[in-house]
């Protein structure tokens, strides 16, 4: 059983690395071809950024694999033998949280490199070292507090109920929904400063869009995201009357009012089609599968690993394999999500009236330019990683001429490697 677990994780890492290698080869060839949506210089820069990010991802996967082997080999047993509490609940919390803290520390260099090397080089990073350290510490403390509560909840369920895996799934699913509800509030409290939108005319136009789709919100807010990052973004957060519309200040700065309304129309399209509930249902399905599998493992696995049959080991095993199941589920979730994006584009176009499609297309082009998103990707990479359709496909669906693309070069790129 132990070799089966290691084999499954090894296969996951190999497929992940292979997918990234194919993407790197594809982009390295494509970036030297005819530029699409971007100027020639920006097209090459976007390609270089995409390749650099993917190489960092491969390095991260190698480290993840080594860490996984160490945890399975002796790490969990080491924690079990090193941490002692007479109270079983405290013992389980201490072991699982130690596992999470160690993993967080291991991932810190990659977070630093991405922010202060890659993003700095390509002009995205606006954060200071002081800000980054503050954000990291806040995230750490929040993980420690809320993570401990969640671990305690699962421990209590495992210790009390025979069908603990089913009740644990219900508990975690409820936590996921609660996080979605509270995310905008916590982000505003600890990370971003949110202020009501001051542009009264734009605020009225946004509220008119919301009224037309039956979207009830607690208000339209602007986030000071530019203090950390130059990318453009917006999000709708929360449930019920606690929903908020949050616009990054970078988005307001770079898009015209009509383009901004087109982007929000797209997001309201997701609301109108119930996409958020579909996504939550898919996450629920993934969580159910995880708890069903790991809640019924044979007891022999504990003997093979030299650990006791304890709730904390089940929780650690779930955390170790969460990326594997996520990777397996991603193609299915991606197919559904990409179709949802096309439908939201159509709704956003309709909400914008006769010129809605053009305004949305213009906004998508600006997002590509400002975020330096390389517009071309390997089909295999799209299959495993894309939750949104490639921007070129979205533009075509909106009736926009994206120009000629060198298909022969792209065909060669599909065969390329690093």
């Amino acid at each position: 059983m132990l070799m089966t677990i290691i084999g499954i994780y090894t296969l996951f890492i190999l497929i992940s690395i292979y997918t990234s290698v194919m993407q790197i080869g594809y982009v390295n060839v494509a970036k030297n071809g005819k530029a699409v949506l971007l100027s020639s210089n920006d097209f090459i820069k976007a390609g270089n950024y995409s390749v650099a990010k993917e190489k960092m991802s491969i390095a991260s996967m190698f480290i993840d694999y080594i860490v996984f082997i160490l945890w399975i080999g002796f790490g969990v047993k080491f924690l079990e033998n090193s941490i002692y509490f007479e109270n079983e609940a405290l013992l389980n919390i201490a072991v699982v949280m130690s596992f999470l803290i160690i993993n967080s520390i291991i991932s810190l260099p990659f977070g630093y490199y991405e922010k202060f090397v890659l993003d700095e080089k390509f002009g995205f990073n606006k954060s200071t070292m002081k800000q980054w350290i503050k954000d990291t510490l806040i995230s750490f403390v929040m993980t420690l507090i809320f993570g401990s509560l969640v671990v305690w909840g699962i421990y209590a369920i495992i210790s009390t109920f025979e069908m603990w895996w089913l009740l644990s799934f219900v508990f975690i699913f409820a936590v996921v929904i609660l996080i979605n509800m509270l995310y905008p509030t916590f982000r505003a409290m600890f990370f971003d400063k949110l202020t009501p939108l001051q542009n009264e005319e734009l605020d009225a136009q946004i509220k008119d869009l919301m009224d037309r789709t039956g979207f009830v919100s607690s208000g339209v807010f602007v986030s000071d995201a530019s203090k950390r990052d130059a990318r453009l973004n917006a999000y709708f957060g929360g449930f019920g009357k606690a929903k908020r519309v949050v616009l990054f200040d970078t988005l307001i700065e770079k898009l015209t009012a009509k383009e901004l309304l087109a982007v929000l129309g797209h997001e309201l399209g997701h609301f109108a089609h119930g996409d958020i509930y579909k996504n939550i249902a898919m996450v629920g399905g993934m969580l159910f599968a995880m708890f069903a599998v790991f809640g019924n493992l044979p007891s022999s696995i504990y003997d093979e690993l030299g650990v006791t049959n304890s709730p904390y080991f089940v929780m650690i095993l779930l955390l170790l394999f969460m990326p594997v199941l996520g990777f397996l589920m991603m193609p299915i979730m991606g197919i559904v999500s990409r179709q949802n994006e096309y439908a939201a584009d159509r709704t956003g176009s309709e909400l914008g009236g006769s010129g809605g499609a053009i305004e949305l297309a213009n906004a998508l082009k600006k997002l590509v330019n400002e975020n330096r998103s390389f517009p071309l990707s390997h089909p295999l990479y799209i299959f495993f990683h894309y939750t949104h359709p490639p921007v070129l496909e979205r533009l075509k669906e909106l009736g926009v001429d994206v120009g000629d693309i060198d298909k022969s070069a792209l065909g060669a790129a599909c065969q390329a490697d690093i």
Side-chain angles (χ1 to χ4, degrees):
M1 188 66 192
L2 177 59
M3 293 307 298
T4 300
I5 285 177
I6 294 174
I8 291 172
Y9 197 89
T10 302
L11 184 61
F12 153 66
I13 290 292
L14 289 175
I15 294 173
S16 299
I17 291 175
Y18 176 77
T19 303
S20 289
V21 167
M22 295 302 291
Q23 173 72 350
I24 290 171
Y26 183 95
V27 174
N28 271 332
V29 173
K31 72 180 182 181
N32 294 313
K34 184 178 179 181
V36 182
L37 297 183
L38 298 161
S39 68
S40 295
N41 286 338
D42 287 342
F43 190 70
I44 292 172
K45 287 180 182 178
N48 289 337
Y49 181 68
S50 176
V51 168
K53 288 267 290 186
E54 217 54 48
K55 287 182 177 180
M56 187 188 74
S57 177
I58 290 174
S60 177
M61 283 186 275
F62 274 118
I63 297 299
D64 287 345
Y65 184 69
I66 293 170
V67 170
F68 173 83
I69 296 298
L70 292 176
W71 279 123
I72 291 295
F74 68 89
V76 178
K77 187 175 181 179
F78 173 79
L79 288 180
E80 184 178 59
N81 294 333
S82 302
I83 299 173
Y84 176 77
F85 283 98
E86 289 188 6
N87 184 288
E88 281 293 318
L90 288 178
L91 174 65
N92 277 267
I93 292 171
V95 171
V96 176
M97 294 313 298
S98 296
F99 167 83
L100 288 173
I101 290 168
I102 292 170
N103 279 346
S104 297
I105 292 172
I106 292 171
S107 67
L108 272 179
F110 289 100
Y112 173 86
Y113 180 82
E114 181 177 5
K115 174 65 71 174
F116 291 101
V117 178
L118 279 187
D119 284 0
E120 188 75 32
K121 178 181 178 181
F122 288 92
F124 290 121
N125 180 40
K126 301 296 181 183
S127 182
T128 63
M129 179 61 69
K130 180 180 178 181
Q131 183 69 60
W132 184 75
I133 292 173
K134 177 185 175 183
D135 290 347
T136 302
L137 289 175
I138 291 173
S139 298
F140 174 80
V141 171
M142 290 177 67
T143 299
L144 199 60
I145 295 171
F146 295 108
S148 297
L149 292 173
V150 171
V151 171
W152 177 79
I154 296 178
Y155 163 77
I157 292 171
I158 293 176
S159 303
T160 307
F161 301 98
E162 184 175 348
M163 289 287 289
W164 65 265
W165 66 268
L166 182 59
L167 293 173
S168 293
F169 153 71
V170 174
F171 172 66
I172 291 297
F173 192 44
V175 169
V176 169
I177 294 174
L178 187 63
I179 288 172
N180 274 275
M181 291 176 64
L182 299 178
Y183 173 77
T185 302
F186 276 104
R187 183 166 181 130
M189 287 173 61
F190 298 107
F191 297 102
D192 298 337
K193 180 182 178 182
L194 299 185
T195 55
L197 180 63
Q198 298 300 312
N199 187 326
E200 294 182 2
E201 182 180 355
L202 180 59
D203 185 67
Q205 290 174 316
I206 292 173
K207 288 176 179 176
D208 177 62
L209 275 181
M210 292 191 292
D211 289 341
R212 287 160 61 188
T213 54
F215 184 88
V216 179
S217 169
S218 60
V220 182
F221 297 86
V222 179
S223 165
D224 61 342
S226 59
K227 68 183 180 185
R228 291 187 179 86
D229 202 288
R231 294 176 180 88
L232 314 186
N233 206 352
Y235 64 89
F236 289 7
F239 286 100
K241 294 182 179 180
K243 292 193 295 289
R244 286 180 174 182
V245 180
V246 179
L247 312 174
F248 281 22
D249 52 1
T250 49
L251 191 75
I252 295 176
E253 179 185 344
K254 298 293 183 179
L255 299 189
T256 67
K258 288 184 178 180
E259 290 165 352
L260 183 58
L261 289 170
V263 171
L264 293 178
H266 167 92
E267 297 301 331
L268 287 168
H270 285 306
F271 165 75
H273 304 145
D275 291 342
I276 186 171
Y277 302 108
K278 296 174 190 175
N279 292 337
I280 288 175
M282 286 192 291
V283 170
M286 184 179 74
L287 289 172
F288 179 84
M290 284 184 63
F291 278 100
V293 170
F294 290 98
N296 294 282
L297 289 174
S299 58
S300 59
I301 190 172
Y302 301 97
D303 298 329
E304 290 184 59
L305 289 169
V307 297
T308 57
N309 187 349
S310 302
Y312 57 73
F313 178 72
V314 176
M315 286 185 263
I316 288 175
L317 205 57
L318 277 165
L319 290 168
L320 284 172
F321 269 85
M322 193 173 293
V324 180
L325 193 55
F327 187 77
L328 293 174
M329 288 290 294
M330 189 61 213
I332 299 171
M333 296 176 72
I335 290 170
V336 174
S337 179
R338 290 193 291 272
Q339 292 306 310
N340 290 342
E341 293 299 325
Y342 283 130
D345 279 348
R346 289 192 291 271
T347 300
S349 300
E350 292 165 3
L351 287 171
S354 58
I358 297 301
E359 298 298 343
L360 181 56
N362 289 339
L364 289 173
K365 290 178 183 178
K366 284 187 178 180
L367 288 170
V368 169
N369 274 273
E370 296 295 332
N371 294 343
R372 294 183 185 86
S373 304
F374 194 70
L376 304 172
S377 287
H378 193 284
L380 186 65
Y381 193 83
I382 294 171
F383 178 74
F384 277 110
H385 292 282
Y386 271 39
T387 56
H388 287 57
V391 68
L392 292 176
E393 297 302 321
R394 294 176 69 181
L395 291 172
K396 287 178 183 177
E397 287 291 316
L398 290 169
V400 176
D401 182 9
V402 297
D404 295 328
I405 300 174
D406 188 351
K407 294 182 179 179
S408 62
L410 297 185
C414 283
Q415 306 300 321
D417 55 19
I418 292 178

